[in-house]
């Protein structure tokens, strides 16, 4: 799995995991910053520019699913609570390949930030390291409907 596909894949899991967290992020506009292992600063900066603002609307517990997440045909295998969040393991089948993914999410007590740690446990991309996405609340107003 290429670095770009792994990044898009990790971005896609963020919305699905947020629903499982005991604390849900505040409604409003959010921005993300990604941290990848062993990636040069120039590539890191480019990846951050790929992450558009996204909106969590009132009554929603997670951002809209990205096109990549919808394309990966994933199903939840297990879910367990962690302090301030949860861990979910998914089985996925995309582009003719099966893989298993684990995502941990931690929501801050003030609900104005949450951090996601995603890694491929088995299949293409396994052993490539953990992808970390830090999400920060910008404010209560949402722009015109945008997806991640």
């Amino acid at each position: 799995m290429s670095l770009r596909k792994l990044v898009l894949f990790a971005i896609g899991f963020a919305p699905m995991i947020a629903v499982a967290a005991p604390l849900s992020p505040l409604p409003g506009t959010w921005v993300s910053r990604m941290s990848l292992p062993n990636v040069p600063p120039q590539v890191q900066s480019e990846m951050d520019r790929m992450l558009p603002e996204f909106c969590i609307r009132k009554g929603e517990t997670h951002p809209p699913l990205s096109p990549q997440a919808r394309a990966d045909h994933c199903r939840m295998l297990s879910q367990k609570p962690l302090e301030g969040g949860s861990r979910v393991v998914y089985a996925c089948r995309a582009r003719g390949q099966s893989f298993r993914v684990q995502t941990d999410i931690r929501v801050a007590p003030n609900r104005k930030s949450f951090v996601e740690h995603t890694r491929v446990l088995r299949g293409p991309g396994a052993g490539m390291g953990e992808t970390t996405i830090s999400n920060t609340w910008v404010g209560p107003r949402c722009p015109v409907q945008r997806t991640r």
Side-chain angles (χ1 to χ4, degrees):
M1 182 178 290
S2 72
L3 179 61
R4 182 169 170 27
K5 285 183 181 178
L6 181 62
V7 167
L8 293 173
F9 177 75
I11 292 167
F13 270 93
M16 290 193 289
I17 192 70
V19 72
L23 290 174
S24 60
L26 288 174
T29 301
W30 290 78
V31 294
S32 299
R33 183 170 188 329
M34 185 174 294
S35 175
L36 299 164
N38 304 316
V39 173
Q42 302 87 344
V43 175
Q44 179 71 57
S45 180
E46 181 180 327
M47 292 299 186
D48 286 340
R49 283 192 300 275
M50 289 174 52
L51 299 172
E53 290 183 343
F54 64 95
C55 181
I56 298 177
R57 301 205 181 274
K58 188 172 183 174
E60 292 179 336
T61 57
H62 57 85
L65 290 176
S66 71
Q68 183 69 35
R70 290 191 296 268
D72 284 336
H73 306 290
C74 297
R75 65 182 171 81
M76 186 186 302
L77 292 179
S78 65
Q79 174 183 347
K80 71 178 191 177
L82 297 174
E83 188 175 332
S86 60
R87 170 175 289 161
V88 179
V89 176
Y90 292 94
C92 306
R93 182 153 184 83
R95 299 168 294 282
Q97 299 184 22
S98 296
F99 47 98
R100 195 164 285 195
V101 177
Q102 173 181 298
T103 301
D104 294 349
I105 184 171
R106 308 276 185 188
V107 179
N110 67 4
R111 301 175 48 214
K112 291 184 177 183
S113 66
F114 62 99
V115 177
E116 305 151 87
H117 301 279
T118 301
R119 65 187 179 106
V120 179
L121 298 174
R122 195 171 15 189
M128 287 185 71
E130 184 175 85
T131 300
T132 301
I133 301 176
S134 301
N135 301 280
T136 305
W137 189 67
V138 176
R141 293 184 184 245
C142 285
V144 176
Q145 184 69 27
R146 293 173 73 178
T147 59
R148 210 182 208 193

